[in-house]
Amino acid sequence: MVDHDKETILLICGDETDAATIMTDLYEADIRVVGPIHTARMALAMAAQTGPTLALLAGQPTGERKAAELAQAMMSTWGVRSMLLDPDDHDAYETSDWRAPDHQVALVRRALAQARPSL
């Protein structure tokens, strides 16, 4: 049986070590993760296939689009909101329509803080 109340996070991360740590932390918090994905193009394609509830951008994707551009494309194409892993970067886009709601951001930050208290 599929639990539709769970978050499904599309992880965009170009660093294999960081991606493995993030995925482990999220899985341990009982949050589904799709990825890691390195390119903006693949992130958009995977969003079409997996129906994520949130895109987590842990750094800049490779390819033509940067993080904020990818976040906007995810929102306008698939209706998927995004969060940037770095809190300062995320807060810089406070008025952007693609920005994930605070409760989603807090859930992800709590899950990641279990192993990395600096987040």
Side-chain angles (χ1 to χ4, degrees):
M1 173 187 252
V2 176
D3 183 357
H4 295 287
D5 292 335
K6 285 186 180 179
E7 294 285 345
T8 300
I9 294 179
L10 191 64
L11 175 61
I12 298 96
C13 184
D15 183 282
E16 289 182 34
T17 303
D18 287 346
T21 301
I22 292 166
M23 289 179 70
T24 299
D25 293 348
L26 293 174
Y27 280 130
E28 287 177 359
D30 204 25
I31 298 172
R32 290 185 289 240
V33 181
V34 175
I37 299 164
H38 304 282
T39 67
R41 182 176 299 190
M42 183 58 73
L44 288 165
M46 290 301 292
Q49 301 297 315
T50 61
T53 56
L54 176 71
L56 174 58
L57 292 107
Q60 296 293 335
T62 59
E64 297 174 15
R65 291 183 178 100
K66 295 302 177 200
E69 295 167 317
L70 173 56
Q72 184 60 51
M74 295 288 285
M75 182 62 188
S76 63
T77 305
W78 301 114
V80 177
R81 295 194 186 277
S82 299
M83 74 173 276
L84 304 180
L85 181 62
D86 182 280
D88 293 330
D89 290 345
H90 184 75
D91 289 344
Y93 293 97
E94 186 175 351
T95 61
S96 297
D97 67 340
W98 55 258
R99 198 168 180 265
D102 291 342
H103 73 275
Q104 276 185 313
V105 172
L107 174 75
V108 172
R109 295 222 187 278
R110 273 193 309 274
L112 297 176
Q114 298 297 327
R116 297 185 284 166
S118 64
L119 289 177

